[in-house]
Amino acid sequence: MNSNNEKVKELLERNVVPSSLEPENVKKMLDEKSAKKKRNRITLASRFAAAAAAGAVICTSAVHFAGQRNVIDSESGNNVTTSFIGVTDKETDYNILTESYMNGAEDYDRVYRLLSERHERYKENIRHYDDAENGIFFNGADNAVNVIPEAIPDGNVATGTTAGTGDDKDYHDTFNQENGVIEPDKAKTDGEYIYYVDNYGYCIRVAKAEDGYFGEVTTIDIQRDLPEKKDVHNLRSITVNEMYVCNGMLIVIAGTDEYEETAYSDDMILDTIYNQVSDTDTYVLFYKTGESPELVSIYNQDGYYKDARISPEGYMYLISSYTSACFENVDGAEDFEKYIPRSGVNGDEAFLPADSILLPEDDDECSSNLSYTVIGSINLNSEDTPVKTDIKALAGYTGNIYCSAENLYCVRNLNGDSDITRISLDGGKVTPAANGSVDGCVNDQFSMSEYNGYFRIATSKTNYEKVESGVTSFFQVTERYNSLYVLDMDLNIVGEVNGYGIDENIKSVNFSGDMAYVVTFRQTDPLYSFDLSDPTSPKILDEYKITGYSSYMQKWSDGLLLGFGPEADENGISTGVKLVMFDNSDPNNLRELGKYVVNFSHNGIGHSYSPAVSDRKQLLISPEKNLICVPAMGFGEDFTTSYLLFSYENGTFTLKNTISRSSDDKMTSMDRAVYIGDYVYLLSKDFFVSADIASAQLTDEIKF
């Protein structure tokens, strides 16, 4: 074992109780955290019950509105015409809004009042902007200083491949974290055609590929196929995000933002005029696959695109982040177009019914708007056209999602901790099932796993304290540590390991059955192995330290774990990117079997970087083809973008070819690789390149 961490050595010897849980510290901990845990630790009576924060709330506002509006029927998922009547003088007891948060809000007026309450707290917060809890304070003069604590980096993982079949050929598919749960990507193939998202050109490139050569290329103009702007006077920006190839359909996910010139006035802020986002939509465009895909149908859902999954049952779950208009721009509860999200098919839009909008039971956020995580489901099993099935809106912004075959887990960062909601997915129905919380924040989707009736999650925690220094104040980090939790299906913690990777943050996680492998980093890369066979007593088995860190790990074969990420020297300074193969055949004795470092520097000038460190889908990892494709950029005398083709055998990575383009070519980098049969195809917005996998020699190239 290679370890100099006394804390970890102690954890390895026995499953110790963290110091924070020792008897003398328990009372202090409970005093500090009990209020928060009461809000977050729930089973059925969760934070999403649309009840008031304190007891019965008597509504005496004389708000009246009525009208015929389209909403979505919460049972069938279809659009219906409904009369909306607002709350009148009649007293309303919001405590009757059930023991279960599945019922959501009682009416739109309740949602509006929450928006109003948040706005009042927002204005109060501005008036007291020296409140230390917000990290904003006076420096002794009239100038306020806003201190932003060091953030835990976003997820840095990369995606490998899973072979598909098309006729007599095998072909690449995006690596799916869970078997049968299909993830989107900006490059897909059906074994005959390659589909690639060109977000700069707002289009999809469709290229026929056969035996390493390209045939006819067709361009799908997504901008042309999107619905017209809702307001012809608005500006609009378009993003083509990701796509699927499924059931003979090309499914493209795109988004639009519409901007309008807005005059804004607030009693605390001077009048100003600026371009404000007035409407944000996520669209799913369904095409028939083939050389010239034909548009069949369009589904739209309010909000920015967050992620998507297709379940083994054949339902697509689309997740978007919706933010309402600012309170000042909402003309009362009847103006619900500005604070209630919509969805629809082929322009037939409907607002979500109130009982599908799941509000917090005890809301203490201060902002001038409301945010939701909108989850819509679409049935892809229909012979004619996809069918909208169900939709829910969860209060708050979801940072990371993880999806198993039966459940979707939405995780929010709340004050440095993770608030988790389990959504049951059954036959396209979106049903909130449980809610809980754990200390610390997740790195990415691979930090979570569901296995044998338990949910596992690895988190990093950073604590701060306010320091007074003369006339100024600032926040400084007091401690960093990491945890691994095991929760039951009600999201109650049943087992945990705390205190490993002191002063470091989690960079990548790989769950494999009853085992978990976690990489943390500050200056070196400790790889930890965990035994989760007893969910109530998870244990660290080993810690192995090398330089740099792995931002992604994927099983290569039985007993071999492939790592990819930045290389660094002993001081933690980056020196390039690396591939590393770990021997995890004995999780009590982890070893490194081979390493390859990519460094484009020349005589100490320049450095190397891979965009796959931050974009997990740019790697192609195919053990069945003995192929690893790594995008890399070299910064030196020239700027060079490359795709590096590797093989691995008996402890040695072999660089088979480097396919490069320099900045003189005025071409952007290749950011995806797929294979069909014995050939690999490297893709960018400006060109496609193909190569023979065995020899890694180029076979064809096409420019746009």
Side-chain angles (χ1 to χ4, degrees):
M1 182 188 308
N2 177 15
S3 173
N4 58 9
N5 188 320
E6 294 300 322
K7 177 65 176 178
V8 172
K9 289 172 66 177
E10 182 183 9
L11 287 170
L12 291 172
E13 293 170 359
R14 58 189 178 90
N15 195 22
V16 299
V17 177
S19 59
S20 61
L21 297 181
E22 291 176 353
E24 61 268 29
N25 293 325
V26 168
K27 185 179 186 304
K28 179 180 178 181
M29 178 193 71
L30 292 176
D31 290 341
E32 293 175 345
K33 296 188 176 183
S34 60
K36 178 180 68 176
K37 294 301 180 186
K38 286 178 182 177
R39 290 198 301 271
N40 293 339
R41 175 67 58 219
I42 54 173
T43 52
L44 291 180
S46 86
R47 66 180 175 91
F48 292 111
V57 175
I58 306 299
C59 179
T60 58
S61 61
V63 178
H64 301 269
F65 60 93
Q68 299 294 319
R69 305 291 177 89
N70 279 341
V71 298
I72 300 170
D73 181 76
S74 56
E75 292 298 323
S76 68
N78 297 320
N79 295 357
V80 295
T81 302
T82 305
S83 296
F84 291 99
I85 302 178
V87 176
T88 65
D89 297 342
K90 182 180 178 179
E91 295 183 353
T92 303
D93 184 353
Y94 284 97
N95 275 343
I96 65 174
L97 295 183
T98 80
E99 298 83 6
S100 169
Y101 55 81
M102 287 183 285
N103 290 329
E106 183 185 70
D107 51 36
Y108 287 170
D109 184 71
R110 174 68 188 104
V111 183
Y112 177 76
R113 287 193 295 108
L114 178 62
L115 175 61
S116 175
E117 291 163 5
R118 282 192 177 184
H119 178 67
E120 290 303 315
R121 288 192 293 270
Y122 169 74
K123 292 200 299 183
E124 185 70 15
N125 189 62
I126 291 179
R127 295 188 182 97
H128 297 87
Y129 56 86
D130 58 334
D131 189 341
E133 288 186 7
N134 298 310
I136 304 175
F137 51 86
F138 284 112
N139 62 2
D142 292 333
N143 297 322
V145 179
N146 189 356
V147 174
I148 302 176
E150 179 181 351
I152 296 174
D154 292 336
N156 295 331
V157 294
T159 299
T161 59
T162 300
T165 57
D167 298 330
D168 57 346
K169 298 178 181 178
D170 58 326
Y171 59 89
H172 163 274
D173 190 11
T174 304
F175 178 79
N176 299 313
Q177 183 180 8
E178 294 292 340
N179 289 333
V181 181
I182 309 173
E183 302 189 20
D185 202 347
K186 64 179 296 184
K188 293 284 188 178
T189 180
D190 56 10
E192 183 178 4
Y193 293 93
I194 293 172
Y195 306 87
Y196 175 80
V197 170
D198 177 2
N199 193 34
Y200 293 89
Y202 314 116
C203 65
I204 305 294
R205 303 284 188 192
V206 183
K208 186 175 179 62
E210 185 173 5
D211 296 333
Y213 290 90
F214 297 104
E216 190 72 23
V217 177
T218 303
T219 299
I220 305 174
D221 188 344
I222 300 299
Q223 183 172 235
R224 176 202 61 200
D225 289 343
L226 284 172
E228 295 181 355
K229 292 186 295 184
K230 296 180 179 179
D231 188 333
V232 296
H233 301 291
N234 285 351
L235 302 173
R236 179 162 78 165
S237 64
I238 295 173
T239 303
V240 185
N241 297 293
E242 298 181 296
M243 61 185 168
Y244 287 102
V245 174
C246 180
N247 293 345
M249 291 184 293
L250 172 64
I251 305 171
V252 181
I253 305 170
T256 64
D257 294 327
E258 291 193 22
Y259 299 84
E260 63 182 4
E261 190 176 79
T262 302
Y264 181 81
S265 179
D266 189 276
D267 57 357
M268 302 299 297
I269 303 175
L270 295 176
D271 292 348
T272 185
I273 296 178
Y274 60 98
N275 286 330
Q276 174 179 289
V277 175
S278 63
D279 197 66
T280 299
D281 285 280
T282 296
Y283 291 94
V284 184
L285 296 87
F286 297 89
Y287 297 86
K288 292 291 186 182
T289 56
E291 183 175 336
S292 300
E294 174 188 353
L295 181 64
V296 175
S297 180
I298 300 178
Y299 169 84
N300 74 284
Q301 181 172 300
D302 272 355
Y304 293 98
Y305 170 64
K306 179 65 182 177
D307 216 330
R309 296 291 186 271
I310 294 178
S311 72
E313 296 179 308
Y315 291 89
M316 178 180 176
Y317 296 92
L318 180 70
I319 301 101
S320 62
S321 297
Y322 169 82
T323 302
S324 73
C326 292
F327 177 79
E328 295 89 345
N329 296 327
V330 180
D331 188 20
E334 67 274 16
D335 194 15
F336 57 83
E337 292 93 340
K338 296 180 180 177
Y339 65 90
I340 300 297
R342 298 158 296 180
S343 72
V345 176
N346 297 328
D348 183 17
E349 293 186 339
F351 294 90
L352 271 68
D355 62 1
S356 290
I357 300 172
L358 311 174
L359 301 179
E361 180 182 58
D362 185 5
D363 180 74
D364 58 2
E365 292 189 27
C366 59
S367 63
S368 198
N369 49 39
L370 294 172
S371 61
Y372 308 108
T373 295
V374 184
I375 306 171
S377 70
I378 307 167
N379 187 352
L380 304 180
N381 298 303
S382 172
E383 294 182 0
D384 298 323
T385 184
V387 178
K388 180 177 63 177
T389 305
D390 195 11
I391 192 165
K392 292 289 191 301
L394 279 65
Y397 170 76
T398 291
N400 285 283
I401 72 158
Y402 160 76
C403 191
S404 68
E406 298 177 347
N407 294 288
L408 175 71
Y409 296 83
C410 298
V411 180
R412 282 207 302 160
N413 181 353
L414 290 178
N415 301 317
D417 294 331
S418 292
D419 185 79
I420 311 162
T421 300
R422 178 171 70 86
I423 308 292
S424 172
L425 307 177
D426 184 13
K429 298 297 291 183
V430 179
T431 307
N435 177 258
S437 69
V438 296
D439 288 341
C441 300
V442 297
N443 184 49
D444 51 57
Q445 69 183 69
F446 290 90
S447 295
M448 298 174 277
S449 169
E450 179 188 301
Y451 185 70
N452 282 349
Y454 292 94
F455 176 68
R456 295 89 64 87
I457 180 170
T459 64
S460 296
K461 178 74 172 181
T462 303
N463 290 324
Y464 305 87
E465 68 177 1
K466 184 179 178 182
V467 177
E468 304 285 349
S469 178
V471 295
T472 63
S473 301
F474 60 93
F475 286 96
Q476 70 178 14
V477 175
T478 58
E479 63 176 342
R480 288 190 180 94
Y481 61 90
N482 303 283
S483 303
L484 193 152
Y485 298 94
V486 182
L487 297 86
D488 61 21
M489 287 292 96
D490 289 327
L491 296 185
N492 298 306
I493 297 173
V494 298
E496 61 187 284
V497 178
N498 298 297
Y500 61 93
I502 300 299
D503 295 328
E504 298 173 338
N505 288 326
I506 289 175
K507 294 296 185 179
S508 62
V509 182
N510 178 274
F511 286 98
S512 180
D514 286 326
M515 294 297 301
Y517 300 93
V518 178
V519 167
T520 64
F521 177 77
R522 186 179 183 187
Q523 288 183 317
T524 57
D525 171 358
L527 171 65
Y528 297 91
S529 57
F530 292 82
D531 180 2
L532 308 179
S533 57
D534 181 354
T536 64
S537 183
K539 295 179 175 63
I540 294 179
L541 299 181
D542 194 14
E543 176 199 18
Y544 184 80
K545 287 191 176 182
I546 58 175
T547 55
Y549 67 87
S550 297
S551 58
Y552 175 66
M553 296 182 291
Q554 181 179 318
K555 178 181 177 180
W556 182 256
S557 64
D558 290 342
L560 294 180
L561 182 65
L562 176 65
F564 165 81
E567 176 62 306
D569 60 23
E570 293 181 354
N571 296 316
I573 299 174
S574 176
T575 60
V577 292
K578 67 175 180 179
L579 292 167
V580 57
M581 191 67 74
F582 295 107
D583 179 355
N584 64 341
S585 57
D586 179 2
N588 291 284
N589 185 26
L590 300 171
R591 298 188 298 137
E592 177 191 306
L593 290 184
K595 181 168 70 172
Y596 191 102
V597 178
V598 178
N599 192 329
F600 287 141
S601 65
H602 180 68
N603 294 328
I605 300 175
H607 67 281
S608 303
Y609 169 75
S610 175
V613 170
S614 56
D615 182 354
R616 67 182 181 84
K617 295 176 180 177
Q618 292 200 31
L619 286 180
L620 189 160
I621 300 174
S622 175
E624 62 274 12
K625 295 290 184 181
N626 194 11
L627 176 66
I628 305 167
C629 295
V630 179
M633 296 180 177
F635 300 87
E637 296 180 358
D638 294 316
F639 171 70
T640 303
T641 66
S642 306
Y643 242 120
L644 284 65
L645 279 58
F646 292 91
S647 62
Y648 173 82
E649 189 173 4
N650 298 327
T652 301
F653 290 98
T654 300
L655 177 59
K656 302 174 67 175
N657 199 357
T658 300
I659 301 173
S660 300
R661 292 293 182 272
S662 69
S663 58
D664 294 338
D665 291 324
K666 297 181 180 179
M667 294 179 178
T668 54
S669 62
M670 296 165 278
D671 62 359
R672 289 297 186 274
V674 303
Y675 71 78
I676 302 174
D678 296 326
Y679 297 88
V680 62
Y681 301 86
L682 312 175
L683 314 173
S684 79
K685 75 178 187 67
D686 291 310
F687 61 91
F688 291 174
V689 177
S690 59
D692 179 90
I693 293 177
S695 66
Q697 297 304 303
L698 295 181
T699 56
D700 198 8
E701 180 171 356
I702 185 169
K703 296 181 180 181
F704 308 120

